[in-house]
Amino acid sequence: MKNIVVLVSGGGTNLQALIDAEKRGELGNGKITCVIASKADAYALERAKNNGIKAVTLVRKDYADVAAYSKAMTELLIAEKADLVVYAGFMTILDEQVCNAFPHKMMNVHPALIPSFCGKGFYGLHVHEAALAKGVKLSGATVHFVTEECDGGPIILQKAVEVKNGDTPETLQKRIMEEAEWKILPKAVQLFCDDKITVQDGKAVITE
Ligand code: GAR
């Protein structure tokens, strides 16, 4: 069985999608063993506790800088014997220490079709504000491996979602979560846990 550790900062609806998928037997050879929040008031922590999952807080502002926080996170992930680390709405920057300790063993869900609307400053509702400001007709979500480059790691899965007339950042966010994020994140985790993803020449390749 692979130990899945989920990193969160907020509401945790993607965490909930993972918990629900596990209950349906859809995480393959994986089990969510720990949830780590960067904020003490993250509602995602309640979701973990309600489902009997170990919930830990590692608060960013308790650490002097990104390096000190990243060191503490790396040590915690190693102590938790993480086989897979999932960023599910995790909004705190970590440095290369974590990537080096878990190469191609960390994945992130991003609420746009990378390489559009990604990188520094593109998180949460800001992503959807930018998509609407550009007037794109399709947006969506991406699950990718985490590397040192923000939102730049190998792409595992993507799903497109229609932008509709009159969308606000909030309505677009909701549609992208429902139609894309909550589906492709559990699927990517299942593929990883069943050893169906390899990285070749910097690209993720799925063998079903
Ligand atoms: C999700 O839309 C996720 O894709 C996004 O934040 C939201 C978290 O919601 N993540 C990022 O923007 C990371 N760059 P949740 O806490 O309900 O899962």
Side-chain angles (χ1 to χ4, degrees), residues 6-7 36 41 50 59 64 90 100 103 108 113-114 141 152 176 180:
V6 185
L7 308 188
I36 302 173
D41 62 353
N50 291 342
V59 177
F90 185 67
N100 292 343
N108 174 49
L113 294 172
I114 291 175
I176 288 174

Side-chain angles (χ1 to χ4, degrees), residues 8-15 44 47 88-91 108-111 122-125 127-128 151 173 176-177 181-182:
V8 295
S9 298
T13 64
N14 278 289
L15 168 66
R47 296 183 192 270
F90 185 67
M91 305 299 191
N108 174 49
V109 60
H110 182 76
F122 287 97
Y123 60 91
L125 278 176
V127 178
H128 307 296
D151 295 331
Q173 179 184 54
I176 288 174
M177 283 177 156
E181 295 185 47
W182 300 343

Side-chain angles (χ1 to χ4, degrees), residues 31-45:
K31 181 176 170 50
I32 304 168
T33 50
C34 183
V35 170
I36 302 173
S38 62
K39 289 184 185 155
D41 62 353
Y43 183 68
L45 288 166

Side-chain angles (χ1 to χ4, degrees), residues 7 58 60 63-78 85 87 92-106 146-149:
L7 308 188
L58 196 68
R60 172 63 183 85
Y63 294 83
D65 50 27
V66 174
Y69 186 70
S70 300
K71 182 170 184 286
M73 180 64 83
T74 305
E75 287 168 359
L76 180 54
L77 292 171
I78 292 169
V85 180
Y87 289 41
T92 306
I93 291 173
L94 297 171
D95 70 13
E96 71 285 351
Q97 293 175 77
V98 193
C99 302
N100 292 343
F102 294 92
H104 298 145
K105 290 181 177 176
M106 299 199 289
V146 176
T147 61
E148 281 179 54
E149 188 190 344

Side-chain angles (χ1 to χ4, degrees), residues 14-198:
N14 278 289
L15 168 66
Q16 190 67 53
L18 291 169
I19 292 170
D20 294 345
E22 184 178 329
K23 284 187 184 154
R24 292 192 303 267
E26 292 174 5
L27 288 190
N29 197 32
K31 181 176 170 50
I32 304 168
T33 50
C34 183
V35 170
I36 302 173
S38 62
K39 289 184 185 155
D41 62 353
Y43 183 68
L45 288 166
E46 300 305 316
R47 296 183 192 270
K49 287 175 197 157
N50 291 342
N51 287 278
I53 300 167
K54 181 174 179 182
V56 180
T57 48
L58 196 68
V59 177
R60 172 63 183 85
K61 60 178 179 345
D62 290 347
Y63 294 83
D65 50 27
V66 174
Y69 186 70
S70 300
K71 182 170 184 286
M73 180 64 83
T74 305
E75 287 168 359
L76 180 54
L77 292 171
I78 292 169
E80 288 299 327
K81 297 184 169 49
D83 296 304
L84 172 65
V85 180
V86 180
Y87 289 41
F90 185 67
M91 305 299 191
T92 306
I93 291 173
L94 297 171
D95 70 13
E96 71 285 351
Q97 293 175 77
V98 193
C99 302
N100 292 343
F102 294 92
H104 298 145
K105 290 181 177 176
M106 299 199 289
M107 56 175 71
N108 174 49
V109 60
H110 182 76
L113 294 172
I114 291 175
S116 290
F117 311 117
C118 65
K120 207 164 181 292
F122 287 97
Y123 60 91
L125 278 176
H126 299 303
V127 178
H128 307 296
E129 285 162 8
L132 291 174
K134 185 66 188 173
V136 293
K137 304 300 179 239
L138 282 176
S139 190
T142 303
V143 180
H144 63 92
F145 282 120
V146 176
T147 61
E148 281 179 54
E149 188 190 344
C150 181
D151 295 331
I155 291 169
I156 302 167
L157 292 175
Q158 294 188 297
K159 191 166 191 293
V161 173
E162 207 182 329
V163 179
K164 295 189 175 169
N165 285 341
D167 260 338
T168 63
E170 289 80 8
T171 61
L172 183 58
Q173 179 184 54
K174 182 168 180 283
R175 189 176 318 111
I176 288 174
M177 283 177 156
E178 289 172 353
E179 294 183 12
E181 295 185 47
W182 300 343
K183 293 182 178 167
I184 64 172
L185 183 60
K187 181 68 187 168
V189 169
Q190 181 189 47
L191 290 167
F192 180 94
C193 291
D194 286 345
D195 295 315
K196 291 190 170 152
I197 312 175
T198 54

